Each structure stands twice: as C-alpha cells, then as structure tokens.
C-alpha cells in the first residue's frame, strides 16, 4: 500500500484546506526553505498517531493548529488531516482473510441474542482505498481534544494502531524516516543496525514475545520455588 493523497486543513503553515495527490511514480516534494515540506511529514505522523508533539516539531499539540485559526477569536480552533491509502489486490485479499478469521472467532464468543451491528454508512472511497482522519480541536483556554476516524467511522487510537499493524505500519517502526535518522543509522554500530533490520523484517516482534515468555517462565519458577519452601517447612 502507499499514500495516495494527503489533505491538510489549518495544519501548521497550511492556513486553508489543501489536498496533495501523491500519484503513482511520485518520488519527492521540492520547494524553497519555509515552504512547508517538512510539515507534510508532520501531518502524516499526526494523522496516524505515530508520534507525540515533539516528534512533529511542536511543544504541544495545540501548536499544530494554524495561527490564523487562533487569531480569529473563535471559541474553538480546529485542524484536520486525512490520509488516503491505496492497497494492492494482494493486500486486499490478505486483509479480507484476516478480517474473516477475526469475525469467525468473535462470533464464537458473542451472544447470539446481541443486537446486530449497524450497517456501514455509504462511502465515497474506492474498494482499494483506506482512509484515516484525525481532528484536533483547541479552545480559547488552551484545552484540546483529539479524535480519529477510519473510513469516516469514529475510532480510538488503539483501534487505529490495530488496523495499522495489520498493514505493517508501526508507531515504533521505520515506515517514516525523520530528519537526522539517516545520519544516525550510518553512524551507529553493527549491533544497532542489526536491530533495525530485525525490526523491518518482523523478527524483532518474535524476539519480544520470546522475552515475554521467558519472563513469565522465570516468574512461575520463582513462585514454584517459594511454594516448595513453604511445603517443606509445613512437612517439617
């Protein structure tokens, strides 16, 4: 899958709603300093919930709202970013199979008398498109709320990350290379570079699971040893 379009509304230096199509064969965004090139990457991180405000070069999330929105004096200022992805036929098949398996598993543990889910609302997206939207609303007092939506349906950040994981987009991963990352990768030692390769190949995920299993096993052994000591004291 790849990013097909990025739409920004009142995000950082973008004072209005701007849709940026990233057509097939797209390779680069060019422009003079201060034209907002880096803000496009910040917008992508913002919409997908892949970084905190510092990762998007802002002290606080409200700083991401275009200043013209703040200066207008409205009770609430809002910024919105929508990312549209295009999926390949193979990815569509894999996702459909995964969703069918999950639905079957959920059906086994669901009460048959439960209220059936509401039908999906009509969507203007093509069958091979997948869309994520994030809105940030800021009040005059500086408080803010953030909300997410997948294909127009509201969702939590956890639900979004679950969907991103299915598509191999990880908050702690290397789908996005930030400024300075290339220099950092070049200067790191071979072990650190190997960790990045393992992360990209999906090996690191299994290493984490192995470590978690070992921790649980050590905890069980420790508890077993304590129980054996208590049993021996009682027998004596």
């Amino acid at each position: 899958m790849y990013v097909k379009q990025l739409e920004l509304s009142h995000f950082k230096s973008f004072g209005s709603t701007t849709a940026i199509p990233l057509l097939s064969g797209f390779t680069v965004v060019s422009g003079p300093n201060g034209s907002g090139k880096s803000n496009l990457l910040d917008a992508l991180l913002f919409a997908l919930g892949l970084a905190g405000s510092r990762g998007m070069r802002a002290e606080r999330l409200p700083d991401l709202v275009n200043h013209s929105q703040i200066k207008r004096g409205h009770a609430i200022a809002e910024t919105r970013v929508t990312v549209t992805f295009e999926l390949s036929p193979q990815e569509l098949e894999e996702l459909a199979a995964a969703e069918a398996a999950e639905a079957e598993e959920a059906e086994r543990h669901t009460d048959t008398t439960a209220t059936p889910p509401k039908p999906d609302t009509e969507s203007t997206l093509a069958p091979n498109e997948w869309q994520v939207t994030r809105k940030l609303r800021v009040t005059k007092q500086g408080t803010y709320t953030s909300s997410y939506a997948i294909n127009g349906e509201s969702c939590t950040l956890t639900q979004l990350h679950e969907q991103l994981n299915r598509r191999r987009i990880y908050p702690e991963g290397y789908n996005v290379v930030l400024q300075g990352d290339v220099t950092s990768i070049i200067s790191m030692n071979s072990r650190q570079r190997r960790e990045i390769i393992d992360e990209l190949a999906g090996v690191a995920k299994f290493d984490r699971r192995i470590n978690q299993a070992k921790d649980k096993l050590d905890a069980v052994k420790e508890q077993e040893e304590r129980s054996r000591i208590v049993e021996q004291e009682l027998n004596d």
Side-chain angles (χ1 to χ4, degrees), residues 64-138:
L64 299 175
V65 181
N66 183 267
H67 294 301
S68 64
Q69 280 278 294
I70 305 295
K71 293 178 180 178
R72 288 177 183 174
H74 297 306
I76 296 177
E78 180 180 285
T79 183
R80 183 186 74 253
V81 177
T82 298
V83 183
T84 304
F85 293 91
E86 183 169 315
L87 288 76
S88 68
Q90 179 182 354
E91 288 165 332
L92 286 172
E93 291 179 4
E94 292 177 355
L95 289 172
E99 290 175 357
E102 289 184 3
E104 183 179 352
E105 182 66 22
E107 188 176 354
R108 295 176 184 174
H109 301 87
T110 302
D111 184 0
T112 55
T113 62
T115 304
K118 295 180 180 179
D120 295 336
T121 56
E122 185 177 354
S123 174
T124 58
L125 293 175
N128 64 335
E129 291 181 347
W130 188 69
Q131 195 174 78
V132 175
T133 300
R134 182 179 181 181
K135 294 180 181 180
L136 178 69
R137 308 186 76 189
V138 182

Side-chain angles (χ1 to χ4, degrees), residues 5-21:
Q5 179 172 285
L6 188 63
E7 184 177 288
L8 305 88
S9 180
H10 308 297
F11 183 85
K12 297 190 80 171
S13 60
F14 291 84
S16 58
T17 300
T18 305
I20 303 173

Side-chain angles (χ1 to χ4, degrees), residues 180-209:
D181 283 353
V182 174
T183 303
S184 175
I185 292 173
I186 293 174
S187 60
M188 65 178 51
N189 58 45
S190 57
R191 180 176 180 178
Q192 293 172 321
R193 197 174 295 114
R194 173 59 184 269
E195 291 176 353
I196 292 179
I197 295 174
D198 286 348
E199 190 73 54
L200 292 172
V203 177
K205 175 178 64 176
F206 296 102
D207 288 339
R208 286 192 290 268
R209 291 179 180 177

